[in-house]
Amino acid sequence: MNIMTEKALESAVSDKMSGTPNEIIKMRGNKVGVFYGEKQALFDVDLDVRENQVTALIGPSGCGKSTFLRCLNRMNDTIDSARVTGKITLDNEDIYDKNIDVVELRARVGMVFQKPNPFPKSIYENVAYGPRIHGLAKKKSDMDHVVETSLKKAGLFNEVKDRLLEPGTGLSGGQQQRLCIARAIAVSPEVILMDEPCSALDPIATARVEELIDELRQNYTIVIVTHSMQQAARVSQRTAMFHLGYLVEEGATDKMFTNPDDKRTQDYITGRFG
Amino acid sequence: MTDISMDTVAGAVPRPRRDIGLKRRYAAERRFRIYGMLAISVGLIFLAIMLFSIVSKGYTAFWQTTVSLPINFDEKILDPDNKRATDPSVLISANYPKLAENALVAKLGINPDDKVTIRKLKGFLSDGARTQLRDVVAADPSVIGTTRNVDILAAANLDSAFKGQIDLNVDEARRKVSDQQVIWMKQLTTDGSMAERFNTGLFTFGASSRPETSGMGVAIIGSFYMMVIVLLLALPIGVAASIYLEEFAKKGRLTDLIEVNINNLAAVPSIVFGLLGLSVFINFLGLPRSAAFVGGLVLTLMTLPTIIIATRAALAAVPPSIRSAALGLGASKMQMVFQHILPLAAPGILTGTIIGLARALGETAPLLLIGMVAFVANYPTTPFEPATALPVQIYMWANEAERAFVERMSGAIIILLIFLMAMNITAIVLRRRFERRW
Ligand SMILES: Nc1ncnc2c1ncn2[C@@H]1O[C@H](COP(=O)(O)OP(=O)(O)OP(=O)(O)O)[C@@H](O)[C@H]1O
Ligand SMILES: [Mg+2]
């Protein structure tokens, strides 16, 4: 749903709180480029991700949003042909540095995928898996506590509290996605990356996930890829517009949706292309 | 389209129907179905013919004619000089067949001094009576001097005659049982002492030149050893190799080359593996000939490609989303593989392994080359002693001329088929049970 009247956009933007004043740069991309084999998919992207804010990545299909997102927790490492250039920092540390361990990085920068992908294990095991491998909860009672609070934060606990031992794959799509969010926050990451988390969900489930994102912002830094302009307007404080592998423009969401600098952003937001 | 409801489509004129070739398409589909059913029927018919011919020839192998005789373990025959306390070999080489003959003579009411008639008894009871009675004495020496009923095996020809497999209308000189023997047979049958019993010997005896005392005992043990060796070696090696190739190795020219080679190995005729085993394991490494251990190694080599291919397919079938989920949470590659991918791939791996094992169980050619086609009468206590294997036993019996051996061969085929079927059913059940839908 890219088509949206400007009026509706404006109201959506003004509905939500504007950015907090003390803005700390949590992650910073500096001249980030990505090659898949010979083909370059991302060119010289400079983008800051601010702490405790939601940064939305928008742009037409194939413009490199997911590619950029995957750089932030080095999931591109798992693609054999992918090669990343430039520099990305987390709290001023280069995440591609030799002495940064990728496993540790991913414990700090969690990810929620486009398609809900719970493990074919129990709901409890799904959430407990991350804390277990990182040794975050040693005792059973600690683990129970982590699982419960994570599910509560993800707004799923009440729906599943009686069937924690049933398989996570038996939940509905929206519940599965919230389970994946619970699984990601159970590790207590600092940043959560979400790649079109609502694309498989109905409007009601989408609304719940959006509410959730807004709540999570208090404790986490969030980067979200979305194709829905309304969603970007509703949940994000900052928006970055990508096109053909380039970062076109980046700024406060209110400004991006009301008065973008770039013609392409304007066109994309109002649904004239993409 | 005959009933067009007038009230709803008052204004609409039915469009002329386009010819989109529906007839042709359905005809093609019907034809294809018929081809398919024909193909399946042909397959099923041949299977039925094969099973029928094997079963009809082989089911009698599971029965063996015996004569129940009150054997008098006469001390004068077994140990005439009463030396058994000091010389145990006396009881080993004693004249046991004489005991059986005496019992039979008494049973048939023949005058014990009528040597001419008694000579005609030759070939009535199996020579296996010697081992049978010796085993009775060995198990319980106190039996000497008493009388005990023992089911003595009938000789192969009498067994065939009893089962009605010998045409008694043929001239006496040209058949293997004499008229006198037939009369005795009828006499013993009517008094109930000659009867068919379940042929346990088929499963327990080793090799023998007499059909009635030969069985698949050694072959079953040999095959069992080999299956255990194949499972212990091929499964871990195959799974480890597949995991490395599929999950860890950087894809490139080298992995492509390895993949091509593995696929090739799976297609290499098994006799080549036999030659390899002969030259490497026996001639070069000096491992014993005819041993189940070497057979197991050769079959391992043969089974490995099958297991690797099945395992890689099972690993690759695990959806990438599971990998991303695990890695995204900060699992190491090792944790991802062993905690998520491998459990999900396990049913596929097991199925592949069982199918590989089933193939190895039925493999004959390479075993012939490493000398497992041998006359082995005694059970091998370790995999390093000479043994045979089920299919090799079938091969050896197939080469015998006697009718009773052919019967045993068919019986052995039935047993082998039952083993194979059990394994394949296990594979299917496993696959059904653990099949996952994503
Ligand atoms: N694994 C890959 N191998 C090769 N090329 C890839 C790979 N992943 C993405 N690309 C290419 O990189 C470019 C950017 O892809 P990316 O997935 O980042 O786009 P996107 O903005 O997320 O698009 P969408 O909105 O459709 O998800 C595309 O041209 C795509 O074809
Ligand atoms: Mg994408």
Side-chain angles (χ1 to χ4, degrees):
Chain A
M1 273 287 175
N2 291 343
I3 298 130
M4 193 177 196
T5 63
E6 288 189 29
K7 219 184 221 141
L9 264 178
E10 265 169 61
S11 67
V13 168
S14 55
D15 271 353
K16 85 189 155 50
M17 249 172 43
S18 32
T20 40
N22 58 331
E23 292 185 337
I24 305 166
I25 306 294
K26 183 72 184 171
M27 296 194 79
R28 160 167 282 171
N30 194 343
K31 297 235 173 297
V32 179
V34 177
F35 296 82
Y36 291 114
E38 292 299 298
K39 187 172 153 279
Q40 187 162 9
L42 211 57
F43 303 83
D44 292 339
V45 173
D46 292 314
L47 184 63
D48 291 346
V49 174
R50 289 154 209 245
E51 190 159 39
N52 293 349
Q53 292 201 3
V54 178
T55 305
L57 310 184
I58 61 170
S61 188
C63 65
K65 307 179 294 293
S66 302
T67 301
F68 180 74
L69 199 71
R70 281 200 300 266
C71 292
L72 297 179
N73 70 345
R74 290 180 55 179
M75 282 301 275
N76 278 333
D77 291 14
T78 64
I79 301 171
D80 273 346
S81 65
R83 189 163 56 84
V84 179
T85 60
K87 187 174 163 181
I88 298 172
T89 58
L90 172 66
D91 291 341
N92 286 323
E93 272 181 294
D94 185 352
I95 64 169
Y96 281 88
D97 198 85
K98 290 249 172 346
N99 49 32
I100 288 279
D101 188 84
V102 66
V103 167
E104 193 203 336
L105 172 73
R106 289 185 193 142
R108 293 175 65 189
V109 183
M111 189 154 193
V112 176
F113 298 85
Q114 175 170 359
K115 209 172 119 238
N117 57 352
F119 298 125
K121 299 186 179 188
S122 71
I123 294 172
Y124 184 97
E125 269 310 304
N126 262 284
V127 183
Y129 182 68
R132 178 166 303 136
I133 56 175
H134 298 305
L136 301 181
K138 297 272 191 303
K139 279 187 304 201
K140 172 94 174 72
S141 57
D142 293 350
M143 187 61 89
D144 291 348
H145 180 72
V146 170
V147 170
E148 187 179 328
T149 47
S150 307
L151 284 171
K152 275 186 179 149
K153 278 191 215 162
L156 187 63
F157 187 70
N158 285 331
E159 287 158 69
V160 301
K161 61 172 181 280
D162 301 324
R163 44 176 179 152
L164 287 178
L165 298 182
E166 285 172 32
T169 38
L171 296 172
S172 78
Q175 290 173 326
Q176 287 189 14
Q177 194 60 301
R178 278 179 283 149
L179 177 61
C180 293
I181 294 174
R183 183 175 67 185
I185 54 191
V187 194
S188 304
E190 297 157 38
V191 183
I192 302 178
L193 312 175
M194 299 185 175
D195 194 346
E196 299 179 46
C198 300
S199 66
L201 305 188
D202 71 33
I204 296 171
T206 302
R208 305 200 56 157
V209 172
E210 284 179 10
E211 272 170 42
L212 173 62
I213 291 171
D214 206 51
E215 282 163 32
L216 292 176
R217 181 162 69 85
Q218 314 302 324
N219 302 309
Y220 307 93
T221 303
I222 294 172
V223 185
I224 179 172
V225 171
T226 177
H227 277 149
S228 157
M229 294 307 107
Q230 295 99 316
Q231 185 168 73
R234 281 193 297 263
V235 302
S236 73
Q237 285 73 49
R238 310 281 305 180
T239 299
M241 162 77 191
F242 284 75
H243 188 225
L244 298 177
Y246 291 92
L247 175 66
V248 172
E249 174 172 12
E250 189 272 339
T253 300
D254 330 33
K255 177 168 178 300
M256 289 280 286
F257 277 85
T258 49
N259 184 21
D261 292 335
D262 197 288
K263 176 83 168 51
R264 286 172 292 179
T265 313
Q266 171 97 41
D267 288 349
Y268 182 68
I269 286 173
T270 53
R272 271 196 277 275
F273 83 83
Chain B
M1 281 267 179
T2 47
D3 53 339
I4 297 164
S5 53
M6 297 304 287
D7 47 327
T8 52
V9 287
V13 181
R15 292 224 213 140
R17 292 186 58 184
R18 288 182 298 167
D19 177 17
I20 50 174
L22 279 182
K23 256 211 187 98
R24 194 167 32 78
R25 288 195 252 169
Y26 284 127
E29 184 173 326
R30 258 195 313 276
R31 270 200 307 279
F32 182 75
R33 276 168 193 257
I34 291 171
Y35 294 152
M37 280 188 301
L38 273 180
I40 290 178
S41 315
V42 170
L44 285 180
I45 287 169
F46 276 110
L47 184 70
I49 292 174
M50 186 191 85
L51 284 181
F52 178 78
S53 88
I54 291 171
V55 170
S56 62
K57 264 194 220 136
Y59 77 99
T60 48
F62 294 95
W63 303 100
Q64 165 70 40
T65 311
T66 58
V67 186
S68 175
L69 291 173
I71 304 285
N72 176 15
F73 290 88
D74 193 343
E75 195 170 2
K76 280 196 229 74
I77 296 174
L78 291 179
D79 188 12
D81 307 331
N82 203 358
K83 286 194 302 189
R84 65 177 182 275
T86 49
D87 183 6
S89 69
V90 171
L91 283 185
I92 293 173
S93 55
N95 190 1
Y96 290 101
K98 184 74 185 154
L99 295 179
E101 190 190 274
N102 286 351
L104 187 61
V105 165
K107 183 105 194 169
L108 291 170
I110 302 168
N111 179 359
D113 297 325
D114 185 354
K115 293 276 187 284
V116 180
T117 316
I118 290 177
R119 200 163 300 137
K120 288 186 182 160
L121 272 177
K122 188 171 153 34
F124 196 92
L125 293 179
S126 166
D127 225 17
R130 183 192 303 277
T131 2
Q132 255 185 310
L133 296 177
R134 182 164 57 203
D135 289 348
V136 172
V137 173
D140 179 14
S142 70
V143 81
I144 295 174
T146 66
T147 302
R148 183 184 284 191
N149 255 347
V150 180
D151 290 341
I152 304 288
L153 298 173
N157 290 329
L158 257 291
D159 182 52
S160 300
F162 190 84
K163 289 171 179 168
Q165 293 161 344
I166 291 182
D167 186 357
L168 297 179
N169 299 323
V170 175
D171 187 35
E172 186 183 7
R174 287 174 50 209
R175 65 176 128 88
K176 290 179 174 162
V177 281
S178 66
D179 287 342
Q180 180 62 59
Q181 287 180 334
V182 172
I183 292 166
W184 282 329
M185 184 178 86
K186 293 206 170 121
Q187 184 187 341
L188 289 172
T189 314
T190 30
D191 79 6
S193 47
M194 193 163 183
E196 284 182 65
R197 293 194 175 72
F198 184 70
N199 190 0
T200 47
L202 183 63
F203 299 91
T204 54
F205 290 137
S208 165
S209 54
R210 290 178 299 273
E212 71 275 11
T213 54
S214 61
M216 307 187 300
V218 172
I220 289 176
I221 293 177
S223 278
F224 173 75
Y225 281 147
M226 289 195 291
M227 288 302 104
V228 171
I229 290 165
V230 172
L231 191 66
L232 289 184
L233 291 178
L235 185 62
I237 297 177
V239 171
S242 320
I243 289 179
Y244 182 76
L245 280 177
E246 194 64 28
E247 306 286 343
F248 290 94
K250 242 188 147 43
K251 306 269 177 301
R253 217 158 261 172
L254 190 64
T255 49
D256 285 349
L257 196 73
I258 291 174
E259 175 152 14
V260 168
N261 272 307
I262 288 174
N263 290 342
N264 263 343
L265 278 183
V268 165
S270 56
I271 196 147
V272 177
F273 285 103
L275 284 169
L276 182 81
L278 178 63
S279 66
V280 174
F281 297 133
I282 294 180
N283 293 344
F284 181 69
L285 293 179
L287 290 170
R289 253 170 188 282
S290 309
F293 183 70
V294 179
L297 290 181
V298 169
L299 293 182
T300 298
L301 289 181
M302 223 192 69
T303 314
L304 259 180
T306 316
I307 293 187
I308 292 180
I309 291 171
T311 305
R312 290 189 66 181
L315 292 174
V318 176
S321 64
I322 299 290
R323 292 159 210 270
S324 316
L327 292 177
L329 279 175
S332 65
K333 206 155 188 179
M334 186 95 176
Q335 286 170 324
M336 172 191 88
V337 170
F338 284 91
Q339 294 167 353
H340 297 285
I341 310 293
L342 204 53
L344 292 176
I349 298 174
L350 280 185
T351 314
T353 307
I354 293 173
I355 289 172
L357 277 183
R359 217 190 113 197
L361 180 64
E363 199 51 70
T364 324
L367 302 183
L368 300 183
L369 281 171
I370 57 164
M372 288 193 77
V373 49
F375 188 92
V376 185
N378 298 321
Y379 288 171
T381 46
T382 67
F384 297 96
E385 287 167 28
T388 55
L390 280 174
V392 179
Q393 186 66 65
I394 292 171
Y395 169 81
M396 290 196 290
W397 279 339
N399 284 337
E400 301 275 356
E402 263 175 277
R403 147 99 224 172
F405 273 120
V406 175
E407 178 186 81
R408 276 171 190 253
M409 174 201 77
S410 302
I413 292 176
I414 292 174
I415 292 170
L416 182 63
L417 284 182
I418 289 173
F419 276 130
L420 292 179
M421 212 165 350
M423 290 171 91
N424 286 326
I425 287 174
T426 316
I428 290 173
V429 167
L430 275 179
R431 189 158 49 199
R432 284 276 158 78
R433 192 152 148 51
F434 294 103
E435 203 167 36
R436 247 173 225 292
R437 278 169 246 286
W438 306 101

